[in-house]
Amino acid sequence: MTTLLPKHSPFNRILVCILFILNTAFASAGARITGLKCEYLANPMGMDSPHPRLMWVMDDARQGAKQTAYQLSVGTDSVELNKGIANTWQTLKVASAVTRLNYNGKALQPYTKYYWRVSVWDKDGKSNTSAIASFETGLMDKSKWKGTWISDNNDMNAKPAPYFRHSFDLTKKIKSARAYIAVAGLYELYINGEKIGNHRLDPMYTRFDRRTLYVTYDVTSQLQSGENAIGVLLGNGWYNHQSTAVWFFDKSPWRNRPAFCLDVRVTYEDGTTETISSGKKWKTALSPIVFNSIYTAEHYDARLEQPGWNRPGFIDTTWKGVINRQAPSLNIVAQTMQPIRAIEKIPAESIKKLDAKTYLFDLGRNISGVSSITVKGEAGTAIRLKHAEKLGKNGYADQSNIDIHYRPTDDKDPFQTDIFILSGKGEETFMPRFNYKGFQYVEVSSDKPIELKKENLNGYFMHSDVEPVGSINSSSNTLNKIWQATNNSYLSNFFGYPTDCPQREKNGWTGDAHIASETGLFNFDGITIYEKWMADHRDEQQPNGVLPSIIPSNGWGYEWGNGPDWTSTVAIIPWNLYMFYGDSKTLGDNYEAIKRYVNHINDLYPSGLTTWGLGDWVPVKAVSPVEFTSSAYYFTDVNILAKAAKLFGKADDQKTYEALALKIKNAINAKYLNTATGIYDKGYQTELSVPLYWGIVPDSLKHKVATRLAERVKQDNNHLDAGILGAKAILSALSDNGYADVAYSIASQETFPSWGWWIVNGATTLYENWNIQADDALSLNHIMFGEIGAWYYKGIGGINVDQQSPGFKNILLTPNFIEKLDHFESEHTGPYGTIKSSWKRKGNTVEFAVTVPANSTATLSFPSGKKVFQGSRQIVTTSGLKVASGSYVYLVK
Ligand code: BGC
């Protein structure tokens, strides 16, 4: 290198030194192998799959970094594995860029911990080996269960939650111990007084009579030699729904008093094992939880507490014997997904004394979860905690927007209202265990005066504990707040299955979920929850292919709302998982289900047009034909099926469904498209965006239809005039076709109807209705208008999946430099690492910075008509530019 400094100047020597250090650091920087997961979980336990998926990430910031080969080793001895000896599976050095494999070594054994690591060769042929990760098998086979399903002797109408306990001696030296618990209902498990794990509302909701989940814990540290005690507390959950509402969950075919089956398997230092199981030796009593409903609330009478009930030495002579019960289903399988947790503690922002016996707490934001209260008062004082999303004119909690489907049979089960009866023994804390709510406000009233301060109440935001994998930031405060609110609503509606709202329903509404799935996948690593929910779909499907509109379901929803515009989840979600993770497992698992579903629609509607569906739900004013939107979703499902057939090499199916897709597309276009004008039907926003978004518009007319759409938006004063199906499609329909600024003009509105209108009116979540004064359909925590959260990545950052190379193996990068924004940053961590796309304005130039993770590539396209430079070099190809992994900066004029 040349330098203007004198040859022997101290500066020169320092510079040379720095360069040397940098060079050495760079040379040894190589690849790091991170993110080792099994079935998308870090070091999981209790795995049932005989061929679990093992995956890793090559972390290498160098330009063009890629994996040229891998070698994976699995063994039961971590010390040996460290020396390179793998006794279960060792692949050859395989020349491949693949970063996910199905385990394919010696048959996995139950109750066994496997260690694994992977060596990866980089672009220069240099290898690096990961740290050791593990996965542990569970029972693997239903016949391995030793315990008996037990319950107390009460029937399903009994209100108090039951306690169960069992004490036993362990004499030998314990090496390790695992608890396997399968529950019909909800549970908390204790060993020697300690609560096991930090999951909440376990196990996840399934159609209990078809599939019941069991959960595994490491309980080595909780057991001791000598006397031990196990305690189990059971809640009702969706299994024993006692509250009554319009969906009749109280009449569920699986309904019964909660029951459980437990095996605690202890391995001793001498290599022997012993299993302590649920059975007739156990005893039961009623707990202080005098009522619990997943739907409404929990009532707790602290005067009924039995200190030490889950510890050794407790005198349980007054406790009763248990009864044996049949298993809820024959299908007891491992719960292999992120659990629900209380993720965030939210201190009350303010407290107001409304009258002598009533206080109002405000969390300052809307959440799903529970509140916890700490209070002191006279024994027998009954405290009611009424949870609401809004306040009435008088300043009291107002539930009129969320209790409309509730049909109580008496006044003993008030909606979203916990009841806490004090024991009078000093300061007492209550937080419900078997319920959650949607709320911002808690109105606390008591039948005897109590003193409360702001610090006495906290909220806990609960949801499936999925890791954030995306972030957005921009020069617009409103945009940033909408993104945040979208995530809040997405998470508020993620409880082991996607829901519509955390207060009024908690139902797994299909339509809401497929609309929100891209937003979810850009922002959170949610695959485990969706894979479980797709199994719920397969559990629910009728032999003729029909699915209910809510999943899981007690039978409700096979008659209403279950057309393709909603239940297309069966195809769209597996497809999106394939797009985001590059993993076709769920698409394969659902293949027959999708086929049965579309065949059924084809039988019912041979013309290719179907009127089965709800249509563009909660519209502003324009109403589009149900046949139009439903047929578009029918087309989408068939199209996905045809692509899946191609992927899985099913040539006959591919031919059949490509032809059917074409027939539906032609039928839609023949009836609704005016080819001369480029207008579908009446030319409303939904009518022009849905066919653009779902690929129904003939290629030659795309530009024309998009132009009509842009004109329509101007005519509608740059505001939305669409329901949920239109709102899903419109932003990308515009930005994908050269009208990103028009899309942004809708997305950035702050007057009715718009996302920003909600925000300027104080929203911290997304709503169910554009009209914030609506008397009906006004939950304040719905995700069905949530596509905007995905559009920020796609439409502005330009981070798009490439169907030909999914899982962001190749990224279609199409940034849009929105005129009204000064800067925009987006990043998403996919299977290959973190993709970054950000840009900022500098005078007349936009500086665009992009990071393409190792082992992946991008195809970069700039908006047409732009001049692009890298340093001072002008880039000639500004569309379809192939980019290797690494970080790059472009100047765009
Ligand atoms: C739910 C919606 C759902 C709709 C279907 C409503 O009650 O809250 O989000 O999609 O019903 O009609």
Side-chain angles (χ1 to χ4, degrees):
M1 105 173 245
T2 50
T3 156
L4 298 178
L5 292 170
K7 235 180 167 185
H8 298 293
S9 88
F11 289 107
N12 212 3
R13 278 206 298 274
I14 291 169
L15 195 65
V16 169
C17 254
I18 292 174
L19 279 175
F20 176 76
I21 291 166
L22 278 178
N23 249 332
T24 345
F26 193 69
S28 61
R32 279 192 327 128
I33 317 305
T34 59
L36 271 68
K37 286 186 181 169
C38 170
E39 291 289 304
Y40 295 96
L41 297 166
N43 303 322
M45 286 190 305
M47 310 305 283
D48 275 352
S49 164
H51 302 286
R53 290 163 289 181
L54 301 173
M55 56 206 77
W56 63 92
V57 179
M58 179 189 193
D59 188 358
D60 185 342
R62 291 173 299 173
Q63 258 175 34
K66 63 175 176 215
Q67 172 183 305
T68 51
Y70 71 81
Q71 181 167 32
L72 192 139
S73 322
V74 185
T76 49
D77 186 330
S78 60
V79 180
E80 292 286 285
L81 190 67
N82 231 343
K83 294 187 215 145
I85 304 164
N87 59 2
T88 345
W89 190 38
Q90 179 141 43
T91 68
L92 298 169
K93 175 181 171 186
V94 184
S96 163
V98 151
T99 56
R100 183 181 49 243
L101 285 183
N102 284 352
Y103 172 83
N104 201 19
K106 280 188 203 155
L108 295 176
Q109 298 304 308
Y111 310 122
T112 309
K113 188 162 191 161
Y114 293 88
Y115 299 91
W116 69 284
R117 64 178 200 178
V118 62
S119 300
V120 162
W121 282 260
D122 67 10
K123 66 182 170 81
D124 305 322
K126 191 171 168 289
S127 78
N128 267 302
T129 302
S130 72
I132 288 181
S134 70
F135 65 93
E136 186 180 296
T137 50
L139 285 85
M140 294 195 82
D141 180 345
K142 286 145 204 133
S143 68
K144 287 276 179 306
W145 284 97
K146 291 201 160 64
T148 310
W149 283 84
I150 57 170
S151 186
D152 68 0
N153 216 347
N154 287 303
D155 73 14
M156 65 186 187
N157 296 312
K159 297 282 159 68
Y163 274 154
F164 298 85
R165 66 171 268 115
H166 175 57
S167 59
F168 53 95
D169 285 321
L170 296 178
T171 46
K172 293 201 260 179
K173 214 157 174 253
I174 301 164
K175 183 174 173 220
S176 66
R178 300 287 182 265
Y180 304 96
I181 183 164
V183 177
L186 301 172
Y187 72 89
E188 283 197 347
L189 170 66
Y190 297 84
I191 295 185
N192 296 329
E194 192 179 320
K195 181 175 180 289
I196 304 303
N198 59 3
H199 301 187
R200 294 183 62 88
L201 301 175
D202 240 359
M204 298 299 101
Y205 177 20
T206 55
R207 174 135 195 170
F208 301 99
D209 49 354
R210 304 208 172 132
R211 193 163 36 96
T212 313
L213 304 178
Y214 80 84
V215 184
T216 304
Y217 295 101
D218 181 348
V219 294
T220 315
S221 66
Q222 283 85 12
L223 288 170
Q224 57 197 24
S225 54
E227 192 187 347
N228 288 273
I230 308 179
V232 173
L233 168 64
L234 293 186
N236 289 324
W238 291 94
Y239 181 67
N240 186 31
H241 206 282
Q242 295 177 325
S243 301
T244 40
V246 295
W247 311 277
F248 301 113
F249 277 100
D250 55 315
K251 298 200 167 55
S252 298
W254 59 70
R255 192 179 154 193
N256 206 338
R257 179 80 169 157
F260 74 100
C261 184
L262 171 79
D263 280 355
V264 174
R265 189 169 186 273
V266 186
T267 305
Y268 295 110
E269 290 287 0
D270 66 7
T272 58
T273 61
E274 179 181 355
T275 303
I276 293 98
S277 295
S278 51
K280 276 296 208 182
K281 287 187 189 150
W282 286 60
K283 298 190 101 181
T284 181
L286 297 178
S287 77
I289 299 181
V290 289
F291 175 80
N292 69 96
S293 161
I294 186 80
Y295 184 61
T296 56
E298 193 162 307
H299 308 168
Y300 186 88
D301 188 342
R303 294 170 303 181
L304 304 176
E305 280 172 0
Q306 303 191 46
W309 71 274
N310 47 19
R311 291 180 186 280
F314 177 79
I315 313 287
D316 58 14
T317 41
T318 59
W319 285 41
K320 295 188 175 140
V322 298
I323 57 158
N324 288 333
R325 269 268 303 276
Q326 68 177 31
S329 80
L330 293 177
N331 194 17
I332 314 293
V333 297
Q335 175 171 300
T336 46
M337 57 199 290
Q338 284 102 335
I340 297 169
R341 291 194 173 96
I343 306 287
E344 206 182 328
K345 177 176 173 181
I346 303 167
E349 208 175 74
S350 69
I351 182 174
K352 213 184 246 170
K353 191 160 187 175
L354 297 178
D355 60 50
K357 288 180 182 166
T358 316
Y359 293 86
L360 185 90
F361 290 85
D362 180 357
L363 298 187
R365 57 184 276 211
N366 199 14
I367 61 163
S368 59
V370 292
S371 61
S372 164
I373 188 167
T374 300
V375 57
K376 212 169 157 181
E378 221 178 276
T381 306
I383 299 173
R384 295 164 82 91
L385 298 105
K386 180 174 178 182
H387 296 71
E389 288 188 315
K390 55 180 203 160
L391 299 179
K393 290 208 175 70
N394 55 9
Y396 285 76
D398 176 6
Q399 297 181 332
S400 60
N401 63 324
I402 51 176
D403 63 2
I404 49 173
H405 297 317
Y406 181 37
R407 303 284 180 273
T409 50
D410 57 34
D411 60 359
K412 295 197 175 64
D413 180 12
F415 194 62
Q416 291 219 130
T417 304
D418 295 325
I419 301 177
F420 178 30
I421 300 174
L422 302 185
S423 71
K425 294 179 191 149
E427 216 161 63
E428 308 174 52
T429 297
F430 167 74
M431 172 162 144
R433 293 167 166 87
F434 300 131
N435 162 271
Y436 75 97
K437 306 164 184 79
F439 67 104
Q440 169 168 350
Y441 303 99
V442 189
E443 180 191 303
V444 180
S445 57
S446 59
D447 58 357
K448 296 195 189 95
I450 47 168
E451 275 309 312
L452 289 174
K453 293 203 289 284
K454 196 163 74 121
E455 294 67 36
N456 292 110
L457 186 131
N458 290 295
Y460 286 88
F461 189 11
M462 281 163 58
H463 50 78
S464 286
D465 191 4
V466 286
E467 198 187 320
V469 291
S471 76
I472 295 288
N473 186 40
S474 77
S475 52
S476 157
N477 228 337
T478 309
L479 188 161
N480 301 343
K481 282 187 175 169
I482 295 172
W483 175 69
Q484 196 59 60
T486 305
N487 283 350
N488 287 341
S489 278
Y490 181 78
L491 292 172
S492 297
N493 285 295
F494 220 44
F495 276 74
Y497 64 109
T499 69
D500 60 335
C501 50
Q503 5 63 7
R504 188 185 67 210
E505 304 196 21
K506 302 181 171 70
N507 273 322
W509 274 103
T510 45
D512 309 45
H514 68 65
I515 287 174
S517 60
E518 282 174 87
T519 289
L521 294 170
F522 266 117
N523 287 294
F524 301 98
D525 182 17
I527 187 169
T528 64
I529 283 73
Y530 285 121
E531 289 195 337
K532 175 265 181 192
W533 197 48
M534 287 300 112
D536 296 336
H537 275 61
R538 298 189 293 273
D539 286 346
E540 297 283 9
Q541 193 173 32
Q542 298 276 8
N544 68 359
V546 170
L547 289 151
S549 49
I550 56 172
I551 296 176
S553 168
N554 56 350
W556 193 92
Y558 284 101
E559 283 291 332
W560 193 85
N562 59 336
D565 49 355
W566 257 242
T567 53
S568 284
T569 38
V570 72
I572 293 176
I573 289 187
W575 181 255
N576 284 343
L577 293 181
Y578 176 50
M579 290 297 105
F580 277 76
Y581 290 87
D583 184 343
S584 61
K585 177 174 187 297
T586 312
L587 192 59
D589 290 348
N590 267 23
Y591 186 84
E592 286 304 319
I594 305 170
K595 196 167 153 181
R596 242 187 293 160
Y597 183 55
V598 304
N599 286 349
H600 181 65
I601 306 179
N602 189 27
D603 288 347
L604 291 180
Y605 301 93
S607 71
L609 295 176
T610 172
T611 50
W612 188 15
L614 290 176
D616 200 14
W617 202 242
V618 195
V620 180
K621 43 183 205 315
V623 176
S624 306
V626 170
E627 182 185 70
F628 177 75
T629 45
S630 279
S631 301
Y633 276 92
Y634 173 34
F635 164 78
T636 301
D637 297 340
V638 178
N639 194 22
I640 289 172
L641 183 59
K643 288 190 272 192
K646 181 172 180 200
L647 180 70
F648 300 132
K650 296 173 190 278
D652 289 348
D653 278 5
Q654 186 189 339
K655 227 170 108 195
T656 309
Y657 295 106
E658 276 175 358
L660 181 56
L662 187 64
K663 174 174 143 184
I664 302 166
K665 187 188 209 170
N666 288 343
I668 296 172
N669 288 334
K671 179 154 177 190
Y672 291 101
L673 172 62
N674 179 334
T675 48
T677 58
I679 286 179
Y680 278 85
D681 204 46
K682 297 174 289 304
Y684 292 151
Q685 291 181 14
T686 297
E687 292 158 2
L688 299 170
S689 357
V690 165
L692 278 170
Y693 185 79
W694 293 110
I696 293 166
V697 182
D699 279 348
S700 59
L701 288 174
K702 265 192 178 166
H703 182 67
K704 204 182 217 176
V705 177
T707 307
R708 294 292 97 83
L709 175 60
E711 288 162 5
R712 177 78 218 188
V713 169
K714 286 219 175 79
Q715 202 181 315
D716 292 328
N717 200 17
N718 293 320
H719 279 75
L720 272 174
D721 185 14
I724 64 169
L725 306 180
K728 168 78 191 175
I730 192 165
L731 299 174
S732 289
L734 288 163
S735 59
D736 286 352
N737 291 290
Y739 291 102
D741 283 294
V742 179
Y744 188 72
S745 73
I746 299 176
S748 58
Q749 286 301 341
E750 296 187 1
T751 51
F752 171 83
S754 66
W755 293 276
W757 168 241
W758 293 336
I759 299 296
V760 296
N761 281 282
T764 54
T765 43
L766 301 191
Y767 294 175
E768 185 182 14
N769 205 314
W770 299 116
N771 177 3
I772 57 177
Q773 309 296 349
D775 328 313
D776 192 17
L778 191 53
S779 132
L780 301 187
N781 206 349
H782 253 65
I783 189 57
M784 65 189 194
F785 284 114
E787 163 68 8
I788 192 164
W791 180 74
Y792 292 142
Y793 294 89
K794 299 188 283 186
I796 310 183
I799 301 176
N800 291 288
V801 294
D802 179 351
Q803 294 202 7
Q804 304 316 315
S805 192
F808 299 105
K809 178 76 185 157
N810 185 53
I811 308 148
L812 295 184
L813 257 181
T814 54
N816 281 306
F817 311 118
I818 303 296
E819 264 167 35
K820 288 190 184 138
L821 288 175
D822 284 336
H823 65 89
F824 180 85
E825 294 92 47
S826 54
E827 56 176 78
H828 168 72
T829 302
Y832 297 96
T834 302
I835 305 157
K836 293 186 188 171
S837 165
S838 62
W839 52 264
K840 53 176 180 268
R841 295 192 180 280
K842 287 191 167 166
N844 293 334
T845 307
V846 172
E847 191 181 281
F848 172 58
V850 55
T851 299
V852 177
N855 215 15
S856 66
T857 53
T859 309
L860 177 52
S861 296
F862 291 93
S864 60
K866 299 282 179 198
K867 284 203 176 109
V868 182
F869 299 83
Q870 224 172 355
S872 55
R873 185 171 64 91
Q874 183 167 0
I875 309 254
V876 198
T877 317
T878 57
S879 178
L881 180 66
K882 271 278 169 202
V883 182
S885 62
S887 295
Y888 307 86
V889 176
Y890 300 90
L891 299 176
V892 186
K893 291 183 185 170

